[in-house]
Amino acid sequence: MCGVLGILGKMDLPMARELLLLLAHRGQDAAGLLWESENIFTESKATGSPAFIELPNDSPSIILGSTRYPTIGKRVANEEELDIFVGPFQSENVALTHNGNITNMACQTEREYFTDAQFLTDKLAQYLKENDNQLQDAIGKLSSEVDGAFSIVGIHDSKLFAFRDARGFKPLVFGRSKDLTIIASESTVHAMAGLTIERDVYPGELLVFSKNGKLESFSISQNALHSHCFFEYVYFAHPASTIENQLVYDVRFRLGRALAHAFKKMNKEPPDYVVPVPDTSRPAAQALAETLGVPMREIILKNRYLGRTFIVRTQKERNAMAKRKYLYLTDKIENKTILVVDDSIVRGTTAKMIVHDLKELGASKVYFAATCPPQDHPCYYGIDISTGKELIASNSRREDIRKYIGADALIYQNMSDLVNAIGLKDLCLACLDGEYPTEHARFIQEQIQDDVESDGRDYERVV
Ligand code: SF4
């Protein structure tokens, strides 16, 4: 998961940095901006938030932005590593950044790459050279060779372009006014810039925007089946974002309503409060509370100046961050039955800690609900769960998970309610059902069946 941004039309660089901040939740490792002035690319990158990117006083008319989430490769440890790990990247007359993960990169090159975005940039520059500088031909060649998820935004010949893989795993949306075009991972960027979104970039579509306002669309790779990442709706995206015409907030609200019906079927004592784990599960908690007819209370409060637990790298880091991440309204907990709602239970770190803390503070019972079904398969398409053994649901039965986190009841969303709440049929659900939509991911999955004891990420063990 990363955030990508492309801007065509004169804009002050600090304003572009403000827009990039709206994608900071998609990657907190590092961020970069790249712009073109008089056919020269200039870039500035920083570790952590986009707010730390230093910028000259300039107003270029074509800009790329990137927030980095380290799907492959390690975290950026210092300023010296920014150039090799953090997009946007440039090569010859092309620059780009992307969101997703190329699963077969090691089969496509002998050179060692630290990021797949740099690999895509170099490959595209090579294919442009071999194809008379024709972008649609070069992109066609590139997309026929790579497997995985990629939503690309780039600059070529002073034009802004966008390209999305044939399955459309990761979101990419654009909006335009007379003087400004913005392509971004999420529509909140357009709202902040005063643009209405025109539409999502279609899966397999290349869009090329010229400075004179011309827009060209090329159908590069087609697949009758699309595989939009369901986890965008459950966790990644901002609730104010619209992806494939579905407002993320509404999806999360519907997920909460479905959970309420699942809870009712368990015939448990009703909770005194429904309590969201901030921030992602708040709309679901509202819906759950309304449907059950009990109050929602924000008893768990987030320390806003820490990052998301999911994006830190090691289990030790996760435990430490989870501990520092939440504060509790202690006088609202004693002798209460509390139904806690979180978006998902990935490794179980946060759920276990919250249940433990609430019980220590005097809660009589703690139920735990997840708006997402158990995730028991790794993701090869751009989130940092690349080994099955990291996932609590892949190693444990549901009752064992309940006991492990210490809850008095555990409620998972069921698959059909998840799909109905999202409102799209063509979803990637691979981390729930193991049905990987692309060939190389299936190959990796088959190879690791016999190799479950190995260390390291699954795709690094196989390729
Ligand atoms: S495997 Fe899961 S997280 Fe990865 S792209 Fe598919 S739905 Fe999204």
Side-chain angles (χ1 to χ4, degrees), residues 313-378:
R313 208 76 174 105
T314 64
Q315 190 57 40
K316 205 170 156 195
E317 269 182 309
R318 266 178 219 111
N319 291 341
M321 186 178 265
K323 245 338 241 174
R324 287 179 285 139
K325 199 171 169 186
Y326 299 114
L327 300 164
Y328 300 90
L329 297 186
T330 49
D331 63 340
K332 310 256 181 279
I333 295 170
E334 203 165 347
N335 298 325
K336 299 291 184 211
T337 296
I338 292 171
L339 171 51
V340 178
V341 191
D342 204 352
D343 48 74
S344 53
I345 303 171
V346 179
R347 299 172 179 89
T349 314
T350 302
K352 186 179 169 67
M353 187 206 67
I354 285 173
V355 174
H356 171 267
D357 288 353
L358 290 173
K359 288 205 165 177
E360 258 205 354
L361 291 166
S364 52
K365 280 191 183 136
V366 180
Y367 308 137
F368 205 95
T371 64
C372 160
Q375 286 165 290
D376 46 13
H377 293 82

Side-chain angles (χ1 to χ4, degrees), residues 16 103 173 204 242 251 281 300 379 384 391 411 415 428 445 453:
T103 55
V173 64
T242 298
V251 171
S281 62
I300 305 171
C379 172
D384 184 25
L391 299 161
I411 309 106
M415 194 78 107
C428 176
Q445 190 61 13
E453 295 306 320

Side-chain angles (χ1 to χ4, degrees), residues 163-229:
F163 178 58
R164 205 168 168 206
D165 64 71
R167 290 278 183 162
F169 285 97
K170 303 294 170 187
L172 198 58
V173 64
F174 75 94
R176 290 184 293 171
S177 65
K178 190 167 157 283
D179 305 314
L180 184 66
T181 297
I182 292 182
I183 310 164
S185 297
E186 294 194 32
S187 59
T188 45
V189 176
H190 304 84
M192 170 73 94
L195 296 184
T196 49
I197 53 172
E198 196 160 322
R199 66 170 168 84
D200 298 87
V201 179
Y202 298 134
E205 181 185 35
L206 168 66
L207 289 175
V208 183
F209 300 85
S210 304
K211 283 186 179 157
N212 62 9
K214 190 172 150 199
L215 167 60
E216 295 170 280
S217 164
F218 304 92
S219 178
I220 300 288
S221 51
Q222 293 294 314
N223 196 310
L225 298 172
H226 297 155
S227 307
H228 306 301
C229 171

Side-chain angles (χ1 to χ4, degrees), residues 169-170 229-231 236 378-383 428-431 436:
F169 285 97
K170 303 294 170 187
C229 171
F230 88 87
F231 212 38
F236 289 152
C379 172
Y380 304 125
Y381 300 119
I383 61 166
C428 176
L429 300 164
C431 50
Y436 293 92

